[in-house]
Amino acid sequence: MSTGLVGPRVSRAETVSKAVEEMIREQGLRPGERLGTKVELRERFGVAVATFNEALRMLEVRGVIDLRPGPGGGVFAGRTPALVRLGQKVLGLSGDSVSVADSLAVRVALEPLIVADAVRRRTDADVAALRDLAARMAECADPVGYLRANWALHRRIAEIGPNAILRQIYLGLLDFAEERVDDVTPVGAGRVPGPGALEVHHMLVEAIAESDPDAAARAVTRHQALTG
């Protein structure tokens, strides 16, 4: 397995998380089998502590891994809860049965529920992470990088909410689109979306930061108009 991690800075934690998932698949690890210690794995992937910890957090939320402290602890293959398998079933769809456009349409329909949960449950740490992701999104100079940064922001919003079913379905839809990013034509025929799109995402993040449901609803409406 290659561990050369490339791509936009915003996607490095997600890149690491996907590489760990690939490692589990390639080694045929069963639930409860050990991948290694956090230090061993971080050194293997050659990333900063903060990046690796964020990748582990993503994987733990999805049920892909279990983290165990103390002697004999470390990172173990997860037992993949039924809700995670539900999200994975979305990834199994292919061919004429579903398209990226279909998956994004459903994702957009779920957006108001995802954002409403984030407004109610966000923490200061969540707000800091969202603002950082929005800022990184603004730095992207290529369409595919912009898409991945956009999805990373929405993924982080979804991970705030307490509704496990909603979260797993939504994240599964994002995973489906990311796996097929080459099939997605960015807005503007190959150009990065302009200031209007960035403004909408800034509004969305700040509405969540302020725990303002009305501002969040307005931002979601504008976002749906962009993606519709």
Side-chain angles (χ1 to χ4, degrees):
M1 180 187 68
S2 171
T3 56
L5 303 175
V6 296
R9 187 162 49 112
V10 68
S11 66
R12 286 187 69 79
E14 184 63 33
T15 301
V16 173
S17 73
K18 289 184 182 298
V20 173
E21 288 188 82
E22 181 183 349
M23 176 181 170
I24 293 171
R25 286 195 300 270
E26 287 186 349
Q27 296 184 10
L29 296 178
R30 296 183 178 183
E33 291 188 325
R34 194 169 183 266
L35 283 74
T37 68
K38 290 174 65 174
V39 172
E40 290 168 348
L41 292 172
R42 184 178 67 80
E43 290 177 350
R44 173 172 182 165
F45 292 107
V47 294
V49 173
T51 298
F52 190 65
N53 286 342
E54 176 66 9
L56 292 182
R57 186 192 64 78
M58 292 176 179
L59 291 166
E60 192 172 28
V61 165
R62 298 175 201 169
V64 176
I65 63 166
D66 290 327
L67 297 177
R68 302 179 192 174
V75 182
F76 294 79
R79 298 191 179 278
T80 315
L83 290 176
V84 176
R85 294 197 300 272
L86 176 62
Q88 291 172 339
K89 286 182 179 179
V90 175
L91 298 180
L93 297 173
S94 61
D96 295 333
S97 61
V98 74
S99 68
V100 173
D102 291 337
S103 71
L104 292 179
V106 177
R107 196 207 91 184
V108 169
L110 296 177
E111 201 86 39
L113 299 175
I114 289 289
V115 172
D117 274 355
V119 166
R120 289 192 295 268
R121 299 295 290 267
R122 104 291 183 278
T123 65
D124 290 344
D126 293 326
V127 171
L130 293 179
R131 284 173 171 162
D132 182 57
L133 287 166
R136 294 181 184 186
M137 193 169 104
E139 296 172 1
C140 289
D142 69 282
V144 171
Y146 177 89
L147 273 177
R148 292 195 183 280
N150 183 327
W151 292 335
L153 174 64
H154 286 282
R155 181 182 301 281
R156 187 65 178 82
I157 292 172
E159 289 172 348
I160 297 172
N163 187 325
I165 295 176
L166 175 62
R167 182 172 63 246
Q168 290 300 336
I169 292 175
Y170 186 90
L171 292 176
L173 292 166
L174 278 178
D175 286 341
F176 181 87
E178 285 196 284
E179 289 289 331
R180 292 155 179 80
V181 68
D182 291 339
D183 297 332
V184 179
T185 302
V187 176
R191 298 193 306 273
V192 173
L198 293 174
E199 180 189 359
V200 168
H201 288 87
H202 175 76
M203 287 175 55
L204 190 60
V205 168
E206 291 309 309
I208 293 170
E210 297 298 322
S211 296
D212 186 335
D214 293 333
R218 290 192 295 271
V220 167
T221 298
R222 288 190 58 181
H223 184 262
Q224 289 176 322
L226 281 177
T227 54

